[in-house]
Amino acid sequence: MRHSAICALLLLLASFGFSQDSLWLGRTTGPLPFMEYGIGDDRLGGAKMGYLDSNILVKIVDSFNTDYKVKLSATHSAYIAKTSVVPFFKQAAHRVAHNTHLSGNLRVYGDSARDIVAINLDERWPYHAFQLIEPSRIAVDIFGVTSNTNWITQLRTTREIRNVWYEQVEDDVLRVYIQLKHAQHWGYSLEYDSAGRKLMVRIKPQPVLPDIRKLRIAIDAGHGGDNVGADGVTSHVLEKNYTLLIAKEVEKALKKAGVKNVFMTRTKDTSLSMPERMEMLKQFNPHLLVSIHLNSAGNDTVKGTSTYYRYIGFRPLSMAILNQMLMLGLKEYGNVGNFNFSLSGPTDYVNALVEVAFLSNPEDEKKILNPKFHKAVARKIYAGIVDWLKQLK
């Protein structure tokens, strides 16, 4: 039987073969597989738990529409899109439940680009990383694993890591804490090494001299091409055109200030998917990303400016930009956290989204149509980044 036919058969069987007595094992596949907390949904999708590497072993216990429910530990589960998992083997649930999976030793070191925590495991298990502040730390939960870690080797080649330790928070959840030297989180990534069973946590250090001129800054003009975004309440102009106009003014402001490495996800009216933008940003490897959008509401009295972040360690940038935007005389719509926007999802670099103003409000729309306003917004976004840098310790 051909491989595609086998996969199709397994998927069909998996959709009907779940019970309390058995489960399917599977492997994550494709670009950017991610876990969700539940089956809830809104216009931005379900609440994301975090992205995963490919070829990670998961235990599939149920099926809901387009998602598989996977068992992470005795008390934790998540949901993954069926397109991101290939089921391959059915096994008795009691056999899986009684398997013991152990962690090995940890090694902490730095190279020319990043600090690294290498966690030895016996399989590519699912993980969930999150940011902590005051003091700044990264915590990594590795599911289905019990500690057999009897030493942690820490080399003095690290620049950002202050200390690493672990805690067995549940019988089958191992949590690794990575304490940072600076208050500001600058980004991190997780993936397994090429051999397959060593989880590598790579942490971006704070620049030695956090001078805006020496930073790599990415600007994303929201929407584009066949994704037009909102339209003006009276003018019917399209969001995609005006986010690009504002983004180009931000680019000019940054270059005028001496920033040499500025990257635009788009410079013309072109269609770009979120995975395409994320891959472009991964290749550019920015210190920070600012994504520019224009807001819209069903009620034309709603107006104002707002900024958005997903991870608590990246909030300071979004707040600094909001404080500057309010100096333009715009009403405050707020600073929004845990925002489930695709470009807010990567943890690799600091990022903030700016909803400049409301196209659905006549007063805000009038501002948006004015080229002088575009330049003013660009100056305030630049000033917000500078203010954020001044806060660094």
Side-chain angles (χ1 to χ4, degrees):
M1 188 179 293
R2 295 173 60 182
H3 176 72
S4 59
I6 293 172
C7 289
L9 177 60
L10 286 172
L11 287 168
L12 180 63
L13 291 173
S15 65
F16 296 100
F18 300 112
S19 72
Q20 293 183 349
D21 300 322
S22 65
L23 53 76
W24 283 83
L25 299 181
R27 296 275 184 183
T28 56
T29 187
L32 302 173
F34 59 85
M35 299 185 293
E36 294 182 337
Y37 287 105
I39 58 174
D41 222 357
D42 62 19
R43 66 183 183 86
L44 293 176
K48 291 183 180 65
M49 186 174 177
Y51 289 95
L52 290 173
D53 200 357
S54 61
N55 203 33
I56 286 179
L57 185 65
V58 293
K59 303 168 185 176
I60 307 167
V61 295
D62 213 337
S63 172
F64 292 89
N65 298 322
T66 59
D67 294 332
Y68 286 129
K69 181 179 181 180
V70 297
K71 186 177 183 64
L72 300 175
S73 70
T75 59
H76 294 270
S77 60
Y79 296 81
I80 305 179
K82 292 178 180 177
T83 54
S84 296
V85 178
V86 177
F88 68 90
F89 185 68
K90 192 174 182 179
Q91 188 169 358
H94 73 273
R95 288 185 59 191
V96 176
H98 288 91
N99 287 345
T100 299
H101 304 289
L102 302 175
S103 66
N105 301 314
L106 275 64
R107 183 175 174 83
V108 184
Y109 59 97
D111 62 20
S112 59
R114 300 195 178 197
D115 288 353
I116 299 167
V117 179
I119 307 169
N120 284 287
L121 300 167
D122 62 1
E123 181 51 90
R124 295 168 71 98
W125 298 113
Y127 51 78
H128 173 225
F130 52 98
Q131 297 172 349
L132 298 166
I133 57 173
E134 298 178 351
S136 56
R137 288 158 292 158
I138 299 164
V140 182
D141 283 348
I142 307 169
F143 298 104
V145 173
T146 302
S147 174
N148 192 37
T149 300
N150 295 313
W151 65 80
I152 301 173
T153 302
Q154 304 193 53
L155 302 184
R156 293 184 298 170
T157 51
T158 59
R159 288 177 289 162
E160 187 59 47
I161 295 176
R162 184 183 299 277
N163 198 3
V164 174
W165 67 96
Y166 75 86
E167 179 183 357
Q168 192 74 49
V169 292
E170 297 177 23
D171 288 347
D172 54 354
V173 180
L174 179 69
R175 177 171 297 171
V176 177
Y177 289 101
I178 305 167
Q179 185 179 8
L180 307 179
K181 292 181 180 178
H182 297 95
Q184 175 61 53
H185 286 261
W186 283 86
Y188 60 91
S189 62
L190 291 89
E191 63 182 356
Y192 283 91
D193 69 333
S194 57
R197 295 184 177 182
K198 186 180 292 183
L199 181 58
M200 311 293 284
V201 187
R202 294 184 171 90
I203 297 161
K204 190 177 291 183
Q206 180 165 299
V208 177
L209 294 173
D211 182 339
I212 191 171
R213 295 171 296 179
K214 298 180 180 179
L215 297 185
R216 299 172 64 82
I217 300 177
I219 305 298
D220 172 63
H223 305 281
D226 55 11
N227 183 356
V228 300
D231 63 334
V233 65
T234 60
S235 65
H236 301 293
V237 298
L238 300 178
E239 180 182 0
K240 66 171 185 174
N241 296 328
Y242 281 76
T243 58
L244 183 57
L245 289 172
I246 295 170
K248 286 182 175 179
E249 291 297 336
V250 176
E251 179 188 29
K252 289 177 185 176
L254 291 171
K255 288 185 173 180
K256 184 178 179 180
V259 182
K260 294 182 174 59
N261 292 304
V262 181
F263 176 75
M264 300 276 285
T265 57
R266 68 181 182 98
T267 57
K268 57 184 179 180
D269 184 20
T270 185
S271 297
L272 282 173
S273 69
M274 287 302 172
E276 287 174 326
R277 293 178 200 237
M278 292 167 74
E279 181 58 32
M280 293 163 63
L281 290 164
K282 183 177 180 180
Q283 294 301 318
F284 178 65
N285 187 27
H287 288 97
L288 65 97
L289 162 72
V290 177
S291 189
I292 297 169
H293 285 250
L294 299 172
N295 221 332
S296 184
N299 185 336
D300 66 5
T301 63
V302 179
K303 61 181 180 178
T305 189
S306 51
T307 57
Y308 300 73
Y309 66 94
R310 181 171 173 191
Y311 306 109
I312 189 64
F314 296 162
R315 185 180 186 228
L317 175 63
S318 66
M319 280 299 302
I321 293 175
L322 177 62
N323 290 337
Q324 283 289 338
M325 289 292 293
L326 292 172
M327 295 182 187
L328 295 173
L330 295 163
K331 183 180 178 180
E332 180 179 358
Y333 191 69
N335 178 243
V336 182
N338 208 48
F339 188 57
N340 193 27
F341 175 62
S342 293
L343 294 192
S344 302
T347 60
D348 306 67
Y349 41 82
V350 185
N351 57 76
L353 183 144
V354 182
E355 291 277 6
V356 174
F358 278 79
L359 270 172
S360 55
N361 174 264
E363 185 180 341
D364 276 6
E365 179 194 35
K366 186 176 180 180
K367 291 183 173 72
I368 291 167
L369 296 174
N370 188 343
K372 292 182 179 179
F373 180 71
H374 306 164
K375 295 180 184 295
V377 168
R379 288 194 296 268
K380 292 304 180 185
I381 290 175
Y382 164 76
I385 298 172
V386 171
D387 287 349
W388 168 68
L389 291 172
K390 290 177 181 177
Q391 298 170 12
L392 299 181
K393 298 179 181 179

